Amino acid sequence: MSHRLHTASEALDAMMTAEQALAYRPPPRAVRLVPQEPIFPPLKVSEEPQRHAGDQPPNAQLGRTVVLACGADLVPQPVTWLWRDWLALGKLHILAGAPGQGKTTIALAMAATVSTGGLWPDTERCALGNILIWSGEDDPADTLLPRLLAMGADRGRCHFIKGTRAEDGTISPFDPASDLAALRDAIQTIGGIKLLIVDPVVSAVAGDSHKNTEVRRALQPLVDLAEACGCAVLGITHFAKGGQGSDPAQRVVGSVAFTAVARIVMVAAKVQGDEGEDARVLARAKSNIGPDNGGFEYHLEQREPLPGIQASCVAWGRAVEGSARDLLTYPDDGDDLEARDVVGFLRGLLADGPASAKSIFKDGEGAGYSRDQIKRASKRLGVEKRKDGMSGGWVWAIAAREKCTNSAKNMKGAHFDYVHPSPSSVLPSELGHEGGAKTTPIPNVLPSLPSNPPQLPSAPSESQAKEVF
């Protein structure tokens, strides 16, 4: 390499005279320009409305200024986990599920683990801490504490919110919507609070829990409390009716803001196991700070922590993989049980043959079922619906191969030969004095019916289809 450079230099000297060699200067190097800070012009001052003497600007009336933070002044921090990927300190969490799935008991199982520094279901060790519980539905003495003791909690680290005390000494019920400032003082007094349970979390909303803006505004103090106290806040709520098979996070009752504000949403439901047995699953339905899938099986059992005191507790099972939507595809919740009751009712009405939709709705109303419930049940049952002639009403019948699906190809084979009213739709004038049917014999009209009854039209016209059935 050095030899080649030396040879090139000799050739250049031979081509240039001495004066030229002395006058030669290599071309200057390119100068790297350092970008200058941009200069932003001041904002244009808009014309303000005319004010009277003594009036102050709106911001001056409030006496507030905006607090800003530059990214250069912030130090990146990792998420501090109480239970890795499930409970984070300083964050709001939601635990939702249908009634009877043990949501409160699951939350108490988490609290018991924190109070003893025990093991989580994934065998990870929990940091020891105090727990604080507010429940608007269960009594601490006869329900909450026995459950905690049944799961091995340290009762000395378990604290319960019973109410608020006024300056005159009177005690009022605790209201999460207005008493969070006093709760913050209580948390500082206790010290070491790692988990705060709010049951139900909808109690923190003073306004309409179905309005997004009001829910966000109401939950923000709870979020601020979690961050200020450095504890994980777990709010318990219910599933809304309907929506089986949809995203479980979207089934949380109330506004979507409940799931949007919470950093992690957990759902609990009873599902059908691989071998057809009933199983309960706790799954992550949403997480903004970690994985949003996976879960654990669990079951509820009764124990006697103290003589004569029975309490329910959680026994954890194996870990399960998959999204919450896959794990809870067929949740066996309260709404599903109700739906099966309506299906059974409708199946009984149509067991003997087709019936008019009008009589079915009338009988359903008498049994306490709405039209919407009966319509949903007809889809589950695979009911075929046809128009009884051009001027007649709608007639329902069970398909020959009954399947619970909305697909039209599974609704073939229903027989509409003879339409009969359902037994409970008999008019009062046709009943006896004691409520029984008249004893007048009903003539056997079947032999006189035509052997080939006319076929019903396959589809109604557009104007006829407007009738609700």
Side-chain angles (χ1 to χ4, degrees):
M1 181 70 179
S2 177
H3 175 71
R4 288 198 300 270
L5 292 176
H6 182 70
T7 304
S9 178
E10 290 179 350
L12 180 63
D13 293 341
M15 295 173 61
M16 300 174 62
T17 64
E19 292 80 3
Q20 290 174 336
L22 292 175
Y24 174 77
R25 293 290 184 271
R29 294 183 178 182
V31 179
R32 183 178 181 183
L33 299 178
V34 179
Q36 297 181 353
E37 291 291 333
I39 299 176
F40 298 102
L43 298 178
K44 294 182 179 180
V45 180
S46 59
E47 296 183 2
E48 298 181 357
Q50 184 178 2
R51 295 192 179 94
H52 300 285
D55 290 349
Q56 293 181 346
N59 292 339
Q61 293 178 359
L62 295 175
R64 296 181 178 180
T65 58
V66 177
V67 179
L68 302 176
C70 178
D73 301 329
L74 298 177
V75 179
Q77 299 287 340
V79 176
T80 305
W81 293 101
L82 182 61
W83 178 13
R84 179 166 296 278
D85 300 334
W86 288 86
L87 291 173
L89 296 177
K91 308 295 182 182
L92 174 64
H93 312 71
I94 293 293
L95 172 57
Q101 303 308 319
K103 299 182 297 297
T104 301
T105 307
I106 292 175
L108 295 178
M110 297 177 181
T113 302
V114 174
S115 70
T116 59
L119 298 178
W120 293 114
D122 56 4
T123 70
E124 181 180 348
R125 176 68 63 177
C126 174
L128 182 65
N130 296 327
I131 57 102
L132 184 59
I133 302 172
W134 176 79
S135 176
E137 301 175 351
D138 296 313
D139 184 83
D142 62 17
T143 304
L144 301 180
L145 183 57
R147 292 183 184 180
L148 287 167
L149 296 178
M151 290 179 281
D154 181 356
R155 61 192 304 173
R157 294 186 175 274
C158 301
H159 302 270
F160 306 91
I161 303 173
K162 300 186 65 176
T164 56
R165 190 187 305 275
E167 294 181 356
D168 58 0
T170 58
I171 297 179
S172 304
F174 177 79
D175 185 2
S178 59
D179 296 331
L180 291 185
L183 178 60
R184 178 175 177 175
D185 297 336
I187 291 176
Q188 291 179 344
T189 301
I190 298 172
I193 295 295
K194 296 294 185 182
L195 178 62
L196 169 62
I197 297 174
V198 181
D199 183 15
V201 70
V202 70
S203 299
V205 181
D208 190 343
S209 62
H210 290 81
K211 292 185 177 180
N212 182 69
T213 304
E214 294 188 18
V215 172
R216 285 182 176 272
R217 186 182 297 114
L219 291 182
Q220 191 58 46
L222 201 58
V223 173
D224 297 339
L225 176 68
E227 183 178 2
C229 299
C231 65
V233 177
L234 179 61
I236 300 176
T237 187
H238 297 290
F239 272 164
K241 289 187 176 181
Q244 284 81 1
S246 61
D247 184 0
Q250 302 301 320
R251 294 190 59 195
V252 175
V253 70
S255 168
V256 69
F258 282 104
T259 58
V261 174
R263 299 298 82 193
I264 297 177
V265 177
M266 294 169 273
V267 293
K270 183 188 293 185
V271 299
Q272 195 172 48
D274 297 336
E275 299 179 358
E277 76 284 0
D278 287 338
R280 299 178 190 267
V281 172
L282 173 68
R284 276 183 301 246
K286 171 228 173 178
S287 177
N288 292 88
I289 53 179
D292 57 358
N293 58 2
F296 294 92
E297 292 184 350
Y298 71 96
H299 67 272
L300 303 176
E301 58 185 34
Q302 292 291 319
R303 293 180 183 174
E304 188 176 3
L306 297 173
I309 296 181
Q310 297 288 331
S312 60
C313 63
V314 171
W316 296 106
R318 64 184 179 91
V320 291
E321 299 295 334
S323 66
R325 184 169 186 172
D326 295 335
L327 295 174
L328 309 182
T329 301
Y330 303 103
D332 186 8
D333 54 24
D335 182 66
D336 194 48
L337 294 174
E338 180 185 72
R340 288 206 299 267
D341 291 341
V342 183
V343 169
F345 169 80
L346 183 58
R347 183 186 290 109
L349 292 182
L350 301 177
D352 296 332
S356 65
K358 183 180 295 186
S359 66
I360 293 174
F361 288 137
K362 180 179 178 181
D363 297 338
E365 182 180 357
Y369 300 120
S370 66
R371 294 172 68 94
D372 290 338
Q373 288 175 317
I374 295 176
K375 290 176 184 177
R376 289 194 294 267
S378 68
K379 294 180 180 180
R380 285 173 171 254
L381 192 57
V383 172
E384 185 177 359
K385 305 167 186 179
R386 292 185 182 178
K387 192 75 172 176
D388 187 11
M390 299 301 295
S391 59
W394 286 93
V395 178
W396 292 11
I398 297 179
R401 292 183 299 174
E402 177 184 320
K403 292 186 178 181
C404 300
T405 179
N406 297 341
S407 177
K409 58 185 173 183
N410 288 329
M411 296 184 180
K412 297 179 179 179
H415 301 286
F416 288 84
D417 295 343
Y418 309 112
V419 179
H420 69 88
S422 56
S424 58
S425 62
V426 180
L427 297 177
S429 59
E430 301 177 6
L431 300 177
H433 297 289
E434 299 181 359
K438 286 186 178 182
T439 57
T440 305
I442 301 177
N444 186 6
V445 297
L446 293 180
S448 61
L449 292 175
S451 58
N452 295 320
Q455 296 293 326
L456 297 177
S458 58
S461 63
E462 182 177 357
S463 60
Q464 293 171 340
K466 293 182 180 180
E467 181 182 351
V468 179
F469 63 90

